[in-house]
Structures are given as structure tokens and as C-alpha cells.
Amino acid sequence: GFKFDMRIWVVVDVELGVYQWNEGVLRVAAHPYSEDLEDTFSHLTNHCIAQQSDNYECLIEGNEIFFDEFRTYLAQHVPDLSLDRDILPQMRHQVYCTVESVWANLRANNRPGGFQLLGFDFMIDSSHRVWLIEVNGAPAAAARLTQPLAQDILSLCLYPRFPWQQPSASAPTHNFSLIAP
């Protein structure tokens, strides 16, 4: 099998709350798993590293599996495991605990109207427990997700504060879920 991690994007806004974007991606290593720790292509899923491998995109385009594709895979191959029921709640809990640990500092140092997009990277163990690997302050996004993510950030964070900038008169919609107010 191949090692992978899962990336979700989170907006932290001390006035609006903590929101998880509802799309995410599994980033797959370029080589099959190996116990050889020198084989970085079998252990690291970072695009900057994986793209250097001759095996990059041999398995799947961009070495990425998007959440809808992962849901389909789980339903067909691991029906007792659900992304929405079993995995995402663990991720949200870890996001909540991580942000809550620095919330007082964020509130003290945040400018009104300020927000931050963060990338949370996770691994899943053989018991389906989710482990936080790292939090990225300037997270990359898959090319097909960049425009919808940017539009949803505008709808969540900017249009409520600057409604005259909104492209239509209707209320802004976005694909974020509130984790904590």
C-alpha cells in the first residue's frame, strides 16, 4: 500500500469563529510504503518532494484523492468506516483543541476583521484513530480547489463585513462548517 496524509483547511477568525472547509484531500506518497527510512518518496506526501519522483502521478493524478472519491472508496472497500461519521469528527476535535490552546493569544493579538487560513495535516492509524501531524500557516491547495476555496473565504470572512463588495444581493454562501464560535 501507499502512505498518505489528509489535509483540511480551517479559517480562524476571532470574531466569527473557527470553520472547517468541507472539502479535503488525501495526499499519497509517490512510492509504495517501505520500511527503508531513506526512501523519502515512500514516507513523505508533500508535493514538493513527491514531484521529484519518477513515479509521481503513476497511481493517481496529482497524487491526490479528494474527499468525495475517498467516500466512494470507503463505501466499496471498508463499509464499516465512514469519513463523515468516524474520521472527520476526530479531525474537528483536534482542530478545536489546537485552536483553543492558543485562543486567548489570538484574541489579544488579532486586528478587527483579521482571519487566518490554516492547513491541518493528519494521519490515520490502523485502528482508524486520527493523529495531527502539523498545522501550516500558509497552506497550499490542489489546483482544482484553489478558486472555490478562495471564493468561500470571501463569502465567509469578507462579504459579511463589506457587503457592497459582494457580487450579488443575495446572502453569501460558502462551503465551511462551524467548529467553534
Side-chain angles (χ1 to χ4, degrees):
F2 286 77
K3 192 172 182 180
F4 67 91
D5 72 3
M6 297 179 73
R7 159 74 55 91
I8 61 171
W9 294 271
V10 172
V11 167
V12 176
D13 184 312
V14 296
E15 295 171 355
L16 299 175
V18 180
Y19 289 82
Q20 176 212 329
W21 199 47
N22 293 325
E23 180 60 82
V25 67
L26 283 71
R27 301 178 306 175
V28 181
H31 291 178
Y33 179 78
S34 165
E35 292 189 16
D36 176 7
L37 297 179
E38 299 297 317
D39 182 5
T40 56
F41 296 126
S42 74
H43 292 284
L44 300 178
T45 60
N46 183 297
H47 284 225
C48 294
I49 294 168
Q51 288 176 336
Q52 297 174 33
S53 168
D54 292 337
N55 290 344
Y56 183 68
E57 295 189 321
C58 286
L59 183 64
I60 52 174
E61 183 180 342
N63 283 39
E64 298 171 318
I65 301 170
F66 297 92
F67 275 8
D68 285 341
E69 298 162 333
F70 189 49
R71 284 181 183 97
T72 301
Y73 174 85
L74 290 175
Q76 293 172 351
H77 300 283
V78 193
D80 293 341
L81 182 63
S82 164
L83 176 64
D84 298 298
R85 182 191 67 231
D86 303 314
I87 298 170
L88 287 176
Q90 292 182 68
M91 293 173 137
R92 287 185 190 108
H93 177 73
Q94 291 187 30
V95 167
Y96 174 81
C97 291
T98 301
V99 174
E100 202 258 342
S101 73
V102 296
W103 191 253
N105 191 34
L106 290 173
R107 288 195 63 81
N109 296 313
N110 191 49
R111 295 182 183 139
F115 63 89
Q116 176 73 44
L117 176 68
L118 302 170
F120 280 74
D121 297 338
F122 298 91
M123 291 183 75
I124 303 171
D125 69 18
S126 59
S127 299
H128 306 130
R129 288 177 299 190
V130 174
W131 299 90
L132 178 63
I133 300 171
E134 65 179 342
V135 180
N136 295 281
R144 86 175 214 195
L145 300 179
T146 303
Q147 191 277 332
L149 176 58
Q151 184 59 51
D152 285 346
I153 292 169
L154 290 172
S155 294
L156 175 68
C157 298
L158 296 180
Y159 296 152
R161 292 179 170 116
F162 306 101
W164 59 89
Q165 297 292 328
Q166 191 172 318
S168 69
S170 63
T173 60
H174 54 76
N175 194 23
F176 280 97
S177 296
L178 181 65
I179 293 177

